[in-house]
Amino acid sequence: MASLTDLVNLNLSDTTEKIIAEYIWIGGSGMDLRSKARTLSGPVTDPSKLPKWNYDGSSTGQAPGEDSEVILYPQAIFKDPFRKGNNILVMCDCYTPAGEPIPTNKRYNAAKIFSHPEVAAEEPWYGIEQEYTLLQKDINWPLGWPVGGFPGPQGPYYCGIGADKSFGRDIVDSHYKACLYAGINISGINGEVMPGQWEFQVGPSVGISSGDQVWVARYILERITEIAGVVVSFDPKPIPGDWNGAGAHTNYSTKSMRNDGGYEVIKKAIEKLKVRHSEHIAAYGEGNERRLTGKHETADINTFSWGVANRGASVRVGRETEKDGKGYFEDRRPASNMDPYVVTSMIADTTILWKN
């Protein structure tokens, strides 16, 4: 008699050319990932060859009940680390039946910015540092923390090892390998300052692909924590008080910044970001004011600052960039629950297209 594990791990290619495609989209809250699966007649590697699909938008807060159909447009394909074989994950964005992007479709406007000739010519690279917190199911308290109590103060947990310092490493390593399997350009992981908090980095990725990869990496993480019976939180300040918040620091460069003389281009770009500080903050994640206090390696939300190797600034420039006279910079303002389509395209818009 086959076990449930045997059936879950069945290799479909032994008996059929058919594959399973898991269509993924972002729900009405802007952070709730949804997905459903369909059978296709054979392997597909080009998203334009995939059929459009639909879902009930009234059940995701994205359409009224009397006109509930929302159309999924496939945009990016990744290998499925759960079903394996030729099965795929498909990142989609959402449209009305008339072909108009729905209000929560942030990818559409981002794609327009990244396809602008001036932006495309600059080949914007992104590296996004996604922080998150693992919570004990049912009590919403960080993994490894005593129920209703607190661990020792911060200090030994950042990149720490040991049963009293590192909580959830099996989940984190599973996620790391699953993302590599899927084809996501995940470049590293580490334990963060608050116990139970971790980070993964995606990049360098070019343009719109950065947003696609971060969203699918989040999806894979949610699926793995589902299996593990743990909850993942992207709240920017999950525990109030003297504990670090969670951000999504966004590293950025353009071709001009990476070439000789790029440091001057970087400084001009940072000045543009300073002028549009309030607009960026408004788009950088809900609840970010609880995180950007000027403490715990953050700058105050109301004041823009930048510096070399300064983790207490809004924007940090690395020592190597200063020394080489070219490179990249890090926008430290985005919250962990930011939309990567919004943040990446807004940085490109401000630094390349916007004329101040």
Side-chain angles (χ1 to χ4, degrees), residues 150-210:
F150 296 88
Q154 295 182 157
Y157 309 107
Y158 172 71
C159 297
I161 59 170
D164 58 342
K165 305 178 195 72
S166 177
F167 311 113
R169 190 183 296 277
D170 53 346
I171 293 169
V172 174
D173 275 349
S174 297
H175 176 251
Y176 194 0
K177 288 186 175 180
C179 284
L180 287 171
Y181 178 95
I184 293 167
N185 192 25
I186 185 169
S187 48
I189 57 166
N190 61 268
E192 265 305 329
V193 176
M194 189 181 85
Q197 189 183 82
W198 293 83
E199 172 184 299
F200 65 86
Q201 302 94 32
V202 171
S205 306
V206 180
I208 197 71
S209 69
S210 178

Side-chain angles (χ1 to χ4, degrees), residues 68-144:
S68 65
E69 193 168 283
V70 179
I71 312 301
L72 292 169
Y73 285 32
Q75 299 291 359
I77 291 175
F78 300 86
K79 293 176 66 178
D80 187 338
F82 304 102
R83 295 189 177 106
K84 295 180 279 194
N86 291 321
N87 304 301
I88 55 176
L89 304 176
V90 183
M91 190 65 208
C92 305
D93 61 352
C94 307
Y95 297 79
T96 67
E100 295 296 320
I102 66 173
T104 54
N105 181 351
K106 306 302 182 185
R107 190 187 193 280
Y108 178 79
N109 284 329
K112 284 203 299 186
I113 290 170
F114 285 122
S115 63
H116 190 287
E118 289 181 52
V119 176
E122 282 289 355
E123 295 178 12
W125 290 5
Y126 297 90
I128 295 178
E129 305 171 26
Q130 176 69 70
E131 294 178 340
Y132 60 94
T133 308
L134 297 174
L135 304 177
Q136 301 170 58
K137 191 168 174 278
D138 300 326
I139 61 172
N140 282 331
W141 200 238
L143 201 66

